[in-house]
């Protein structure tokens, strides 16, 4: 009976065509079973083991070798056909689910269009209403959204009411028309796209939305996304303070979360939220979240002293199971990051919906897809490492770099001898552990601590992807091999050295060994080997190679990412899983232009006349890569022994300044406008050329004050412009408009305001003074306009980065045109200024 069943099961595979006669050959069930055993053990056709197994099987002895070969060939073909059929069925299920998703998105867009048409008709009707006051009142009632009234968050009933309201608002954003979503620029949906991405066009805060198909079950996806620190690199901490059942099969959690600041120029953010997890009637799983407010909300004030409390508006994840496996995810992130608390130049990072999409929404969907592909075995990494291990290395590098940039007191960081005038911040952490292992014998707790030298600076017209690619591929252009050697040696127990004690030279050979990359190739993990050689004979036979573990992201010019990063840390050549990591590196974040930033032709570019660099201003309508600003943050960490702290601090400060200088040279060289001097702005009809303006400034100063601004020997020809540019005092000129705007500054003026010539036009005169300074300026302004000049007493102004600048004295005067009657602009000279 068993034989008959086996024969019936293999009936299709037990008939083959004879090679010579063309007749069909039938195999017995026993022969088919024996052939299957041989194939299972040796699937490769050229295997000697297969031939041996065939010879050892008596039941196969009466079958011709050629015919056995044909059977194996047919067996492989049938196996390939089954795999292909299975793959096509999977693809068909995915396409069906994606088609359903697109149809739902199309229905939502049609509803949004209908709503806009109705609103347009309503507004037209209101415009024809005679009673203007009634019009205003009706409009207010139409557009005003009911505000979230805080219920009693101290009892479950009040929290459940908030949770249900949060659920309704979130679903209206995820699948409804509560937010006017527009397709995110640069993210066109298609067969190779991760999903559909949209950002809000006009709403309070910053909002982003994503939806896509993932080959994981809803509960697994919810588990991954709720563990925010595992996929959101900017998430420092997430703690669930309270959790209780909601009574409808769901759960309510009170969550406290902290977010790293991306630069050294602004404080970090924290959140106190309610998170609601429940299942809808259609089987969809929902995780939604919103901020809780009120007195005493969240943890103690002391633990959140270095954070600005931000707000989460109804956001979350809608996860719907698909037939045949997998899920459709809808993600909505809606935040208010309190942009008022950051310098104006950084506010695009805290106001732009595109930024929140790049930092949170897109990475969330990409991370879930990454886990799905790793689970299915589609992702293969080098060196035999498991994907989870390599992913942990990337997360540790990124987290260590963020901790160095932020320097939280809670982690043991403190600023070292900072009087406000230093361009490089030095922070120390005497209690930092460098070990990722619970075994204390492998840790480096005997070290004196860790020192971090960090700084931030503005870049103009430098594509972040190009700069990071250059820094990655040409380390010799900016790095000091001996400093790398010091950091690598210090991470080995008992081998403390100081740069210069063991002279080593870099051979110039840099070998990049890839370890892995994410699904969309937006981040690379690699090991860098720097080949070195000793300069002393006694160490000639010792290896001086240095190994760095490195992550690199944002190097694709066409990719849509939040930033470009190059983060690295010395690592032992054995590459242990629990290796101690001390990350350093670079982060370049593009700053979106303001809506009125197209009017760049009002700025005079004096650098082109001084031959200190290429023209950096662009006319309206140029490519987006030109006239673009970005902020570069640099952080380097060094282990130190207690008795070497001052020496290491001095070395670190000098080294970071050297790196900054090198980066500036590289940035100037790779700027896309560096080779095209003709793309600079043409002066507007009423504007003088740079040299003419310099003469007007000096002549007007002499006319009003009776003394020379520059030395007498420097007043001839082009030297006026050059000496004015290099003058030690900060000299600035502003327009004579209702709101005076700066139109020129010399090098000292740009340094004082911490800006560039192109960005200067965004700064108004009143913004650099505090309230007292503005009052004093108003008092002296009348005198300035009457007699042509005035002296301002010692005071304090503010840079664009929010830093306070003190000056001993300031002089203001009218700049007269060539006819000595027309007032072209106002000039200011700040004498003996310094950062507080």
């Amino acid at each position: 009976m068993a034989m008959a069943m086996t024969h019936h099961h293999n009936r299709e595979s037990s008939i083959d065509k004879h090679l010579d006669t063309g007749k069909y050959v039938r195999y017995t069930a026993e022969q088919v079973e024996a052939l299957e055993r041989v194939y299972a053990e040796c699937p490769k056709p050229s295997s000697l083991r297969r031939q041996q197994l065939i010879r050892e099987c008596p039941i196969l002895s009466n079958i011709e070798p050629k015919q056995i070969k044909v059977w194996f060939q047919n067996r492989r073909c049938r196996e390939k056909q089954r795999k292909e059929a299975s793959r096509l069925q999977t693809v068909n299920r995915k396409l069906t689910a994606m088609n359903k998703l697109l149809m739902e998105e199309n229905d939502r867009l049609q509803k949004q269009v209908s709503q806009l048409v109705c609103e347009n008709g309503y507004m037209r009707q209101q415009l024809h209403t005679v009673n203007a006051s009634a019009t205003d009142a009706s409009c207010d009632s139409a557009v005003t959204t009911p505000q979230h009234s805080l219920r009693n968050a101290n009892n479950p009933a009040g929290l459940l009411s908030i949770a249900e309201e949060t659920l309704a608002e979130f679903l209206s954003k995820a699948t409804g028309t509560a937010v006017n979503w527009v397709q995110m620029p640069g993210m066109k949906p298609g067969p190779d796209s991760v999903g559909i991405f949209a950002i809000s066009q006009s709403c309070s805060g910053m909002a982003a939305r994503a939806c896509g198909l993932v080959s994981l079950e809803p509960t697994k996806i919810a588990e991954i996304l709720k563990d925010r620190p595992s996929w959101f690199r900017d998430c420092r901490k997430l703690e669930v303070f309270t959790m209780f059942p909601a009574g409808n099969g769901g759960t309510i959690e009170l969550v406290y979360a902290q977010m790293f600041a991306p630069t050294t120029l602004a404080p970090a953010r924290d959140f106190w939220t309610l998170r609601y997890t429940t299942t809808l009637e259609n089987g969809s799983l929902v995780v939604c979240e919103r901020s809780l407010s009120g007195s005493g909300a969240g943890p103690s004030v002391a633990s959140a002293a270095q954070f600005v409390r931000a707000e989460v508006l109804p956001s979350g994840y809608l996860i719907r199971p698909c037939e045949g496996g997998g899920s459709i995810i809808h993600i909505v992130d809606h935040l208010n990051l309190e942009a008022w608390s950051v310098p104006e130049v950084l506010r695009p990072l805290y106001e732009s919906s595109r930024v929140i999409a790049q930092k949170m929404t897109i990475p969330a969907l990409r991370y879930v897809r990454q886990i799905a592909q790793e689970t299915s075995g589609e992702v293969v990494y080098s060196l035999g490492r498991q994907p989870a291990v390599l992913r942990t290395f990337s997360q540790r590098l990124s987290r260590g770099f963020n901790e160095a940039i932020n320097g939280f007191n809670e982690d043991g960081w403190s600023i070292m001898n900072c009087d406000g005038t230093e361009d490089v911040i030095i922070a120390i952490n005497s209690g930092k552990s460098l070990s990722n292992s619970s075994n204390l014998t492998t840790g480096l707790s005997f070290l004196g601590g860790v020192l971090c030298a960090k700084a931030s600076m503005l870049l103009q017209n430098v594509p972040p992807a190009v700069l990071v690619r250059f820094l990655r591929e040409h380390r010799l252009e900016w790095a000091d091999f001996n400093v790398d050697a010091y950091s690598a040696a210090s991470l080995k127990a008992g081998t403390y050295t100081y740069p210069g004690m063991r002279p080593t030279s870099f051979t110039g050979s840099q070998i990049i060994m890839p370890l892995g990359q994410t699904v969309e190739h937006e981040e690379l993990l690699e090991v860098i080997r720097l080949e070195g050689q000793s300069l002393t004979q006694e160490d000639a036979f010792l290896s001086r190679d240095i190994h760095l573990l490195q992550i690199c992201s944002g190097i694709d010019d066409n990719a849509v990412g939040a930033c470009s990063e190059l983060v690295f840390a010395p690592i032992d050549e054995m590459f242990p899983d629990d290796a101690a990591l001390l990350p350093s590196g670079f982060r370049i974040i593009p700053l979106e232009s303001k809506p009125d930033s197209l009017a760049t032709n009002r700025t005079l570019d004096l650098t082109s006349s001084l031959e200190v660099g290429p023209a950096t201003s662009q006319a309206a309508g140029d490519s987006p890569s030109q006239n673009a600003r970005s902020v570069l943050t640099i952080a380097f960490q060094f282990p130190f022994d207690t008795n070497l702290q001052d020496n290491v601090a001095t070395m670190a400060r000098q080294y970071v300044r050297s790196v900054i200088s090198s980066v500036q040279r590289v940035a100037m060289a790779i700027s896309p406008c560096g080779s095209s001097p003709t793309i600079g702005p043409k002066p507007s009809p009423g504007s003088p050329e740079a040299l003419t303006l310099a003469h007007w400034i000096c002549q007007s100063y002499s006319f009003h004050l009776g003394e020379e601004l520059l030395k007498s020997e420097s007043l001839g020809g082009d030297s006026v412009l050059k000496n004015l540019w290099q003058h030690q005092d900060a000299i600035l000129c502003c327009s004579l408009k209702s709101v005076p705007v700066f139109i020129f500054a010399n090098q000292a003026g740009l340094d004082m305001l911490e800006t560039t010539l192109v960005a200067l036009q965004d700064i108004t005169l009143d913004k650099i003074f505090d309230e007292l300074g503005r009052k004093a300026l108003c008092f002296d302004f009348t005198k300035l306009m009457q007699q042509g000049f005035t002296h301002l007493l010692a005071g304090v102004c503010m840079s664009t980065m929010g830093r306070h600048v003190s000056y001993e004295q300031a002089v203001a005067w009218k700049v007269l045109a060539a006819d000595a009657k027309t007032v072209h602009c106002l000039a200011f000279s700040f004498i003996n200024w310094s950062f507080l």
Side-chain angles (χ1 to χ4, degrees):
M1 185 67 177
M3 290 177 57
M5 289 178 63
T6 305
H7 180 70
H8 177 75
H9 177 71
N10 294 288
R11 179 175 297 174
E12 182 182 352
S13 61
S14 62
I15 301 177
D16 282 325
K17 199 172 184 179
H18 197 281
L19 289 175
D20 297 328
T21 64
K23 296 181 179 180
Y24 287 94
V25 179
R26 181 178 297 276
Y27 302 97
T28 65
E30 293 83 355
Q31 289 173 334
V32 172
E33 186 177 354
L35 289 169
E36 288 286 356
R37 285 199 304 269
V38 173
Y39 184 82
E41 186 170 347
C42 301
K44 294 183 179 181
S46 60
S47 172
L48 296 177
R49 175 63 177 163
R50 174 190 284 187
Q51 303 301 325
Q52 181 182 356
L53 290 174
I54 293 174
R55 287 194 298 268
E56 293 176 355
C57 188
I59 199 171
L60 301 179
S61 59
N62 59 346
I63 304 178
E64 297 179 10
K66 288 184 179 181
Q67 212 57 40
I68 292 178
K69 183 177 180 181
V70 170
W71 188 93
F72 282 121
Q73 290 176 347
N74 292 339
R75 176 67 175 80
R76 285 196 302 274
C77 289
R78 285 190 292 271
E79 184 176 8
K80 289 181 179 179
Q81 289 173 354
R82 282 195 296 270
K83 289 182 178 179
E84 182 65 15
S86 176
R87 188 189 68 83
L88 290 176
Q89 289 177 357
T90 302
V91 171
N92 186 56
R93 285 196 299 268
K94 290 182 178 180
L95 291 175
T96 301
M98 185 59 70
N99 183 58
K100 182 180 178 182
L101 178 63
L102 292 174
M103 291 176 64
E104 292 175 352
E105 181 70 8
N106 185 54
D107 291 341
R108 189 194 64 78
L109 291 173
Q110 288 181 352
K111 291 179 183 178
Q112 184 173 330
V113 170
S114 300
Q115 181 178 343
L116 292 174
V117 170
C118 292
E119 290 178 358
N120 185 44
Y122 176 79
M123 295 304 296
R124 285 177 179 272
Q125 180 182 357
Q126 294 302 315
L127 289 175
H128 291 84
T129 302
V130 177
N131 191 340
S133 61
T135 303
D136 294 339
S138 62
C139 289
D140 291 342
S141 63
V143 301
T144 301
T145 303
Q147 296 298 315
H148 170 61
S149 57
L150 178 67
R151 298 165 180 82
N152 187 0
N154 296 321
N155 65 79
L159 290 175
L160 180 58
S161 178
I162 297 175
E164 293 294 343
E165 183 178 323
T166 303
L167 174 62
E169 292 189 34
F170 160 67
L171 291 177
S172 68
K173 295 177 184 178
T175 60
T177 58
V179 174
N180 183 17
W181 300 112
V182 295
Q183 180 178 300
M184 183 172 174
M187 301 293 288
K188 295 182 179 180
D192 300 327
S193 175
V194 180
I196 302 172
F197 302 100
I199 57 177
S200 63
Q201 190 173 34
S202 58
C203 72
S204 61
M206 44 205 297
R209 174 178 173 268
C211 50
L213 180 66
V214 178
S215 302
L216 288 175
E217 296 303 312
T219 53
K220 178 63 176 178
I221 294 174
E223 177 186 344
I224 294 172
L225 293 176
K226 290 174 74 172
D227 184 18
R228 196 173 301 152
S230 67
W231 57 266
F232 183 31
R233 296 287 177 83
D234 284 356
C235 183
R236 176 179 182 254
K237 179 191 297 185
L238 189 145
E239 297 181 39
V240 178
F241 275 71
T242 306
M243 181 176 66
F244 54 87
N248 56 356
T251 58
I252 292 178
E253 301 165 294
L254 299 184
V255 180
Y256 176 68
Q258 294 176 346
M259 182 190 295
F260 287 112
T263 72
T264 62
L265 305 174
R269 266 53 183 163
D270 67 348
F271 306 88
W272 176 242
T273 61
L274 177 146
R275 187 166 67 185
Y276 181 37
T277 306
T278 188
T279 303
L280 304 181
E281 293 180 357
N282 61 3
S284 299
L285 184 61
V286 176
V287 181
C288 56
E289 189 172 10
R290 88 178 309 154
S291 283
L292 294 174
S293 57
S295 60
S300 63
V301 178
S303 63
Q306 289 184 274
F307 296 86
V308 172
R309 179 61 54 89
E311 181 184 8
V312 178
L313 288 83
S315 307
Y317 318 109
L318 170 63
I319 311 168
R320 296 187 302 178
C322 296
E323 296 181 5
S327 307
I328 293 177
I329 313 175
H330 293 260
I331 302 175
V332 173
D333 292 308
H334 195 174
L335 305 177
N336 179 4
L337 295 181
E338 305 296 340
W340 59 267
S341 62
V342 302
E344 187 173 357
V345 70
L346 292 182
R347 288 186 185 173
L349 301 181
Y350 294 81
E351 295 175 334
S352 169
S353 295
R354 181 172 180 172
V355 171
I356 208 66
Q358 293 166 341
K359 292 176 65 174
M360 286 187 68
T361 316
I362 297 175
L365 187 56
R366 280 176 170 170
Y367 183 81
V368 175
R369 283 173 55 90
Q370 180 85 18
I371 298 298
Q373 292 196 7
E374 291 176 0
T375 304
S376 64
E378 297 179 35
V379 181
V380 180
Y381 288 111
S382 304
L383 302 182
R385 299 281 176 170
Q386 292 297 322
V389 175
L390 297 179
R391 191 165 56 248
T392 300
F393 274 125
S394 298
Q395 291 169 349
R396 288 177 57 203
L397 283 172
S398 181
R399 183 176 184 85
F401 186 58
N402 276 324
E403 289 176 346
I405 290 174
N406 286 261
F408 294 117
N409 297 335
E410 183 182 355
D411 295 335
W413 288 99
S414 60
I415 303 298
M416 178 182 175
N417 300 330
C418 182
D419 57 3
T421 61
E422 290 290 345
D423 54 343
V424 177
I425 301 173
I426 302 294
I428 58 172
N429 190 335
S430 300
K432 184 170 182 178
S433 173
L434 301 183
S435 176
N436 190 46
S437 172
S438 58
N439 183 5
L440 295 179
T441 61
T442 63
L444 302 178
S445 57
F446 63 90
L447 295 176
V450 175
L451 183 145
C452 177
K454 53 190 175 181
S456 293
M457 57 184 287
L458 281 175
L459 297 178
Q460 185 77 33
N461 292 339
V462 180
V466 177
L467 180 54
V468 167
R469 278 204 308 268
F470 186 93
L471 296 174
R472 171 178 175 258
E473 298 169 3
H474 303 277
R475 190 179 183 88
L476 184 61
E477 296 293 331
W478 57 268
D480 187 332
F481 182 82
N482 285 317
V483 174
D484 290 329
Y486 163 76
S487 298
S490 298
L491 289 176
K492 298 179 180 179
T495 59
Y496 251 111
T497 58
Y498 181 73
M501 294 178 64
R502 287 180 176 271
T504 306
S505 68
F506 179 43
T507 64
S509 177
Q510 171 185 314
I511 301 174
I512 300 177
M513 296 174 284
L515 292 178
Q517 57 192 11
T518 50
V519 175
E520 301 297 314
H521 299 178
E522 71 276 3
E523 182 176 277
L524 308 175
L525 177 66
E526 52 202 13
V527 172
I528 311 299
R529 190 179 76 190
L530 307 175
E531 296 184 350
Q533 60 184 13
S534 175
L535 298 181
T536 58
Q537 285 193 346
E538 58 269 21
D539 295 334
F541 298 101
L542 296 177
S543 173
R544 290 298 175 199
D545 292 353
I546 298 172
H547 294 79
L548 303 173
L549 184 66
Q550 178 172 280
I551 54 172
C552 184
S553 61
I555 59 174
D556 185 357
D557 293 318
N558 299 321
V560 180
C563 65
S564 298
E565 284 186 337
L566 184 69
V567 181
F568 49 87
I571 193 170
D572 187 84
E573 58 269 18
M574 299 304 294
F575 194 28
D577 292 349
D578 60 348
L581 297 179
L582 200 59
S584 303
F586 308 86
R587 172 180 292 157
I588 309 174
I589 308 176
L591 300 173
E592 291 185 350
S593 300
K594 298 181 180 179
D596 56 354
S597 63
L598 293 178
T600 57
N601 59 346
R602 302 295 299 175
T603 302
L604 292 172
D605 186 358
L606 300 192
T607 55
S608 59
S609 301
L610 294 173
E611 298 181 352
V612 295
T616 56
S617 301
Q618 303 302 319
D622 284 344
S623 64
S625 63
Q626 298 171 356
N627 194 29
R629 289 183 293 179
S630 56
V631 58
L632 166 65
T633 298
I634 301 175
F636 281 79
Q637 297 190 79
F638 305 92
F640 68 89
D641 201 359
T642 304
N643 57 1
L644 289 177
Q645 175 176 321
D646 292 339
N647 291 335
V648 175
T650 302
M651 178 271 293
R653 182 179 286 108
Q654 293 175 349
Y655 181 59
V656 170
R657 285 175 176 167
S658 172
V659 171
I660 291 175
S661 177
S662 300
V663 170
Q664 288 174 330
R665 289 197 305 270
V666 171
M668 183 176 294
I670 65 177
S671 175
C673 58
S675 58
S676 303
T678 60
I679 63 178
K682 296 179 180 179
S684 57
S687 299
E689 296 293 339
L691 182 58
T692 304
L693 177 60
H695 278 287
W696 288 358
I697 293 173
C698 295
Q699 291 170 359
S700 299
Y701 184 90
S702 177
F703 174 79
H704 291 300
L705 284 88
E707 58 185 36
E708 300 296 336
L709 178 62
L710 304 176
K711 295 179 180 180
S712 57
E713 60 269 17
S714 63
L715 295 180
D718 296 344
S719 60
V720 173
L721 176 58
K722 184 174 182 180
N723 283 277
L724 183 67
W725 177 260
Q726 298 174 351
H727 200 281
Q728 61 182 359
D729 297 336
I731 299 175
L732 304 101
C733 293
C734 67
S735 60
L736 277 174
K737 296 182 178 180
S738 57
V739 180
V741 177
F742 287 110
I743 60 173
F744 165 72
N746 66 350
Q747 184 63 63
L750 296 177
D751 293 341
M752 185 184 78
L753 295 182
E754 294 186 291
T755 187
T756 63
L757 279 170
V758 175
L760 193 66
Q761 65 174 7
D762 294 331
I763 307 171
T764 57
L765 179 62
D766 62 306
K767 287 183 180 179
I768 72 169
F769 293 103
D770 56 13
E771 190 64 29
L772 293 177
R774 282 193 288 269
K775 290 181 179 179
L777 181 62
C778 291
F779 178 78
D780 291 326
F781 192 77
T782 304
K783 185 178 179 182
L784 169 63
M785 299 308 293
Q786 288 178 351
Q787 70 179 24
F789 73 98
T790 185
H791 291 276
L792 305 178
L793 299 178
V796 176
C797 60
M798 187 177 297
S799 76
T800 57
M801 296 298 185
R803 291 209 285 174
H804 292 282
V805 182
S806 66
Y807 55 90
E808 293 183 1
Q809 186 184 4
V811 181
W813 68 97
K814 295 180 181 178
V815 176
L816 304 177
D819 58 4
K821 296 180 181 180
T822 305
V823 180
H824 176 72
C825 61
L826 299 179
F828 293 83
S829 177
F830 294 88
I831 302 168
N832 293 335
W833 63 271
S834 63
F835 290 108
L836 293 178

